[in-house]
């Protein structure tokens, strides 16, 4: 992998970690999800959307770098061998939650979405570390 490509991965990895840090900060400022104001909710949802998109970009890049044509996010998740089955399930859930937040499918329960985001942050960091380790070892 050339240095420009490695830097592109690094940029996305740092973006994911940075957005995760912001979400954690915003969540800590409130004791529970009912206390989170609308502006902060929207900021958390946007940061989560960006985390999900950057992660899906990394998966797509990984596939292309391994001569596997990129497809839609769900197909790409299944076709990558970077992640465990549990991590792939998390990726599917992240992608689904992002879509529900963006499109307001089925009257998305915002408190439930916030709880899911908060609970998944440590696992998202682990996923990102897998990508980071892969880029460091090639």
């Amino acid at each position: 992998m050339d240095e420009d490509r490695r830097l592109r991965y690094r940029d996305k990895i740092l973006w994911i970690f940075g957005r995760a840090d912001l979400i954690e900060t915003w969540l800590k400022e409130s004791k529970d999800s009912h206390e989170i104001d609308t502006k902060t909710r929207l900021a958390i949802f946007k940061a989560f959307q960006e985390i999900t998109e950057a992660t899906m970009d990394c998966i797509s890049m990984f596939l292309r770098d391994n001569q596997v044509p990129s497809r839609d996010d769900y197909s790409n998740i299944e076709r990558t061998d970077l992640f465990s089955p549990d991590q792939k399930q998390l990726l599917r859930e992240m992608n689904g939650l992002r879509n529900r937040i963006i499109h307001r499918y089925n009257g998305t329960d915002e408190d439930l979405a916030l709880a899911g985001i908060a609970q998944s942050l440590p696992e998202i960091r682990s996923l990102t570390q897998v990508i980071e380790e892969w880029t460091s070892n090639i």
Side-chain angles (χ1 to χ4, degrees), residues 18-89:
R19 290 301 189 250
D21 290 344
L22 286 172
I23 291 172
E24 286 177 344
T25 298
W26 295 328
L27 288 170
K28 286 177 185 175
E29 291 173 353
S30 301
K31 290 184 177 32
D32 66 44
S33 62
H34 298 296
E35 294 180 12
I36 298 175
D37 64 273
T38 301
K39 184 169 44 172
T40 303
R41 281 177 187 262
L42 292 174
I44 290 170
F45 291 156
K46 177 64 174 163
F48 179 76
Q49 174 189 345
E50 291 176 354
I51 285 170
T52 303
E53 289 173 359
T55 304
M56 296 304 150
D57 286 351
C58 286
I59 292 170
S60 181
M61 290 167 58
F62 169 82
L63 290 173
R64 278 186 244 141
D65 290 342
N66 287 281
Q67 287 69 49
V68 178
S70 180
R71 295 185 185 162
D72 65 278
D73 290 338
Y74 289 109
S75 296
N76 289 347
I77 292 166
E78 295 310 314
R79 296 166 71 214
T80 184
D81 60 2
L82 267 179
F83 305 109
S84 71
D86 287 342
Q87 289 173 321
K88 287 182 178 184
Q89 180 60 33

